[in-house]
Amino acid sequence: MNAVLKISDLHKSFKSGFIPRKKEILRGISLDVGEGEIFGYLGPNGAGKTTTLKCILGLIFPDKGNIEIFGLPHLSLEAKEQIGYLPENPYFYDYLTASEFLHFCCQLTLIAKKERKKKIEALLRLVGLESSTHLQLRKFSRGMLQRIGLAQALIHEPSLVFLDEPLGGLDPLGRKEIRDIIVRLKEEGKTVFLCSHILQDIEMICDRVAIIVNGEISSQGKLKDLIAEEILFTEIVLSGVDDQKLRRLGDAVFAHGEKILLKVYQEEKIDQVLRLVQSEKGTIHSLIPRTETLEDLFVDMVKKG
Amino acid sequence: MKIRVIASNTFKEAIRDRILYLLLFFAAVCIAFSRLLALLTVGDRVKIIKDVGLGSLSLFGALMAILMGTGLVYKEIDKKTVYTILSKPIHRYQFLLGKYLGLILTLFIMLLLMSFIFLALVFFHSFTIEWKLLIAVVYIFIEICLITAVALLFSCFSTPILSSIFSLSFYLIGHTSWGLENSINKMNSGIGKILIQILYTFLPDLENFNFKTEVVHNLPIPSEIFLYSFIYGTFYSVFLLALAMLVFRKKDFT
């Protein structure tokens, strides 16, 4: 794997309180992000996700450890030229219009004047803000700010994009659109470092993940290596069967109306359930085998941590 | 290039800020008020207009510098806009210098507008354009540059309210510290004199930029005083800016 981001033994602590007490936020984070992958960075609130991101971007200085971006020191301008960043709950200069703000970003990233207009139009179209080009950012909703934030992160066509909770504040349609953009970035050969709480999205689009708990990486690797593929249990939704008889075969949980949700843990008991339904002239509405999900892994890691 | 981009954006921010226009309005009222004072005064009315007018320029210029300068960096940190900017390929010193120069440009234009009102008022009384008054205005501008640098320095590590109090104290001390110079001349040598001398060296002396009395009363000013005041203002501002950059360079944006 050709690593575009290499973090080794990252430590960071903050002092707080009237009598300053040191609180360790990051305790030796080490991770590599490979070229062209979507890397998911997960963790509960306060685990140190944003602190890690801020260290990478040079917004805070680590106590110890090393960060390299494309083999360059992370604070060098050459490294920064290759990265884009969308902060969590983004807030930008609200007195500027969407177009003025992107112009400002173009100037900071030294994009030639003649290219700017075309680039800005294309990006506003990409994030679905073409009708708000001349609207001041103070009139933007949270979802719109998220979109303009993504546009400014991509304006200079960076090779590595850091997205901190990019799907927060978006409606389901907006989430799908942003997810599609992230996947398109990967198809264009760009690397995406994604911090998110929305595990389904991470599971859907990430190639590799790292889970941070209490400032330490508790699990890291390819999704298929981390999540066990064997069937954990089978969920059967059925009706027209006496639930007392079902309880002997699995955990019966009442669902809506007549329907019963049954969790069956042993494979051989599935046949018994089917035979019971047949004999009682009941109905099977669905039968879904459940493998381990990222959520299961995440909850497990957090509990252990 | 990047400093210019930050500066022009800071200028745009200030121009779209309503507080600035409120201050400008009050400054214009104060300059016009000198006309009323002149009517109530026995003696040379034009001198009163010049005196009060220049005083208003100096006071409102300093107030604008303090009120806007103290929020300059703090607002960026508080609203987290600094995250987006500093993640782009830009050095921290470029950001800070851009913010400073943007505000200086704003204050320069405001001072220019106020000076125009002031010169017009003087013209309606004396029927001559008194260009000499602009000497005092130029040094008011140098003083404003220095006060902005102070406000920017405090803005790097303190809240706007505290920074305003500190900067205002700096302004007041700066305009009264000349009294220490008089004390030094009158004191006998000893430890007290040395202590006051040390204190005087480190405290700002903003009276170095006060040429109001000289230009209003047409008193001669030796050219080396001009040069000394200019160098003093420039070096003091550069020193404060360097200090601000040092503080900002290692700041954690938590």
Side-chain angles (χ1 to χ4, degrees), chain A residues 38-58:
Chain A
I38 302 178
F39 188 88
Y41 197 49
L42 315 175
N45 288 334
K49 297 189 301 288
T50 303
T51 306
T52 313
L53 261 186
K54 283 182 180 174
C55 282
I56 298 170
L57 297 160

Side-chain angles (χ1 to χ4, degrees), chain A residues 12 61 80 93 95 152, chain B residues 16 76 86 88 92 252:
Chain A
K12 179 69 190 172
F61 297 94
K80 282 190 172 182
Y93 297 120
Y95 51 88
Q152 65 79 27
Chain B
R16 291 181 188 183
E76 294 265 358
L86 292 184
K88 305 235 177 280
R92 286 189 177 197
D252 273 348

Side-chain angles (χ1 to χ4, degrees), chain B residues 205-236:
Chain B
D205 186 357
L206 299 179
E207 281 299 305
N208 279 328
F209 310 113
N210 186 358
F211 291 101
K212 294 182 204 84
T213 316
E214 286 84 347
V215 294
V216 170
H217 296 278
N218 263 323
L219 301 173
I221 313 166
S223 56
E224 65 266 21
I225 298 279
F226 280 136
L227 187 69
Y228 169 75
S229 294
F230 178 77
I231 292 173
Y232 180 77
T234 311
F235 272 80
Y236 213 128

Side-chain angles (χ1 to χ4, degrees), chain A residues 177 188 256:
Chain A
E177 283 171 11
E188 287 170 9
H256 293 294

Side-chain angles (χ1 to χ4, degrees), chain A residues 12 14 54 57-61 75 77 80-81 83 85 87 91-97 100-101 104-105 107-110 116 136 138 152-153 155-156, chain B residues 1-2 4-6 8-10 12-13 16 18 76 79-92 94-95 99 248-254:
Chain A
K12 179 69 190 172
F14 291 113
K54 283 182 180 174
L57 297 160
L59 297 172
I60 56 177
F61 297 94
L75 294 178
L77 288 194
K80 282 190 172 182
E81 274 164 14
I83 63 171
Y85 169 54
Y91 188 94
F92 307 112
Y93 297 120
D94 59 7
Y95 51 88
L96 297 179
T97 65
E100 281 174 337
F101 176 61
F104 170 67
C105 295
Q107 287 174 303
L108 280 184
T109 46
L110 304 177
R116 284 179 207 160
Q136 273 189 325
R138 65 169 58 125
Q152 65 79 27
I155 195 101
H156 55 298
Chain B
M1 169 68 184
K2 286 172 187 168
R4 194 173 59 82
V5 175
I6 299 285
S8 73
N9 189 54
T10 308
K12 205 179 273 180
E13 180 182 4
R16 291 181 188 183
R18 278 169 222 140
E76 294 265 358
K79 292 189 170 177
K80 297 178 180 172
T81 42
V82 74
Y83 292 4
T84 321
I85 307 305
L86 292 184
S87 66
K88 305 235 177 280
I90 182 169
H91 289 295
R92 286 189 177 197
Q94 290 175 316
F95 173 76
K99 295 295 293 180
F248 198 67
R249 199 171 73 97
K250 280 284 161 198
K251 191 174 174 62
D252 273 348
F253 299 107
T254 49

Side-chain angles (χ1 to χ4, degrees), chain B:
Chain B
M1 169 68 184
K2 286 172 187 168
I3 294 174
R4 194 173 59 82
V5 175
I6 299 285
S8 73
N9 189 54
T10 308
F11 178 70
K12 205 179 273 180
E13 180 182 4
I15 291 301
R16 291 181 188 183
D17 197 347
R18 278 169 222 140
I19 295 172
L20 190 71
Y21 296 106
L22 201 70
L23 274 173
L24 194 65
F25 170 74
F26 276 114
V29 167
C30 271
I31 294 166
F33 182 64
S34 60
R35 161 97 181 97
L36 187 72
L37 275 182
L39 285 175
L40 300 171
T41 314
V42 183
D44 195 341
R45 286 175 178 177
V46 181
K47 274 184 185 163
I48 294 290
I49 291 172
K50 288 180 192 169
D51 224 9
V52 178
L54 281 174
S56 303
L57 279 185
S58 170
L59 183 70
F60 278 94
L63 274 181
M64 282 184 195
I66 291 172
L67 287 180
M68 296 171 80
T70 49
L72 207 59
V73 173
Y74 182 83
K75 234 161 62 182
E76 294 265 358
I77 300 169
D78 190 44
K79 292 189 170 177
K80 297 178 180 172
T81 42
V82 74
Y83 292 4
T84 321
I85 307 305
L86 292 184
S87 66
K88 305 235 177 280
I90 182 169
H91 289 295
R92 286 189 177 197
Y93 80 86
Q94 290 175 316
F95 173 76
L96 204 65
L97 215 55
K99 295 295 293 180
Y100 176 75
L101 293 176
L103 186 53
I104 291 297
L105 177 67
T106 314
L107 293 170
F108 175 75
I109 288 173
M110 294 299 137
L111 198 64
L112 211 65
L113 284 173
M114 289 195 286
S115 306
F116 179 74
I117 298 169
F118 170 58
L119 281 181
L121 200 71
V122 173
F123 176 77
F124 286 128
H125 282 83
S126 63
F127 298 105
T128 49
I129 299 173
E130 299 205 27
W131 295 112
K132 207 182 171 194
L133 292 173
L134 287 181
I135 295 172
V137 176
V138 167
Y139 280 87
I140 287 174
F141 178 65
I142 295 175
E143 183 185 344
I144 286 174
C145 290
L146 202 157
I147 292 166
T148 309
V150 173
L152 182 76
L153 171 63
F154 289 131
S155 168
C156 287
F157 59 83
S158 183
T159 60
I161 293 175
L162 277 180
S163 304
S164 299
I165 294 170
F166 294 150
S167 307
L168 212 59
S169 309
F170 179 92
Y171 180 73
L172 293 175
I173 291 168
H175 277 289
T176 46
S177 64
W178 58 274
L180 288 177
E181 195 182 12
N182 285 350
S183 310
I184 293 164
N185 293 336
K186 284 177 191 164
M187 278 174 92
N188 296 324
S189 49
I191 191 135
K193 188 173 180 169
I194 295 168
L195 281 177
I196 291 182
Q197 214 144 18
I198 292 170
L199 196 65
Y200 180 67
T201 312
F202 285 102
L203 284 179
D205 186 357
L206 299 179
E207 281 299 305
N208 279 328
F209 310 113
N210 186 358
F211 291 101
K212 294 182 204 84
T213 316
E214 286 84 347
V215 294
V216 170
H217 296 278
N218 263 323
L219 301 173
I221 313 166
S223 56
E224 65 266 21
I225 298 279
F226 280 136
L227 187 69
Y228 169 75
S229 294
F230 178 77
I231 292 173
Y232 180 77
T234 311
F235 272 80
Y236 213 128
S237 302
V238 169
F239 170 71
L240 290 169
L241 277 178
L243 216 57
M245 283 177 202
L246 213 64
V247 172
F248 198 67
R249 199 171 73 97
K250 280 284 161 198
K251 191 174 174 62
D252 273 348
F253 299 107
T254 49

Side-chain angles (χ1 to χ4, degrees), chain A residues 15-35:
Chain A
K15 281 179 186 164
S16 63
F18 184 69
I19 301 163
R21 287 175 70 182
K22 211 169 165 183
K23 193 181 174 202
E24 218 174 355
I25 306 293
L26 302 180
R27 308 156 191 246
I29 299 282
S30 293
L31 54 89
D32 289 348
V33 177
E35 193 171 8

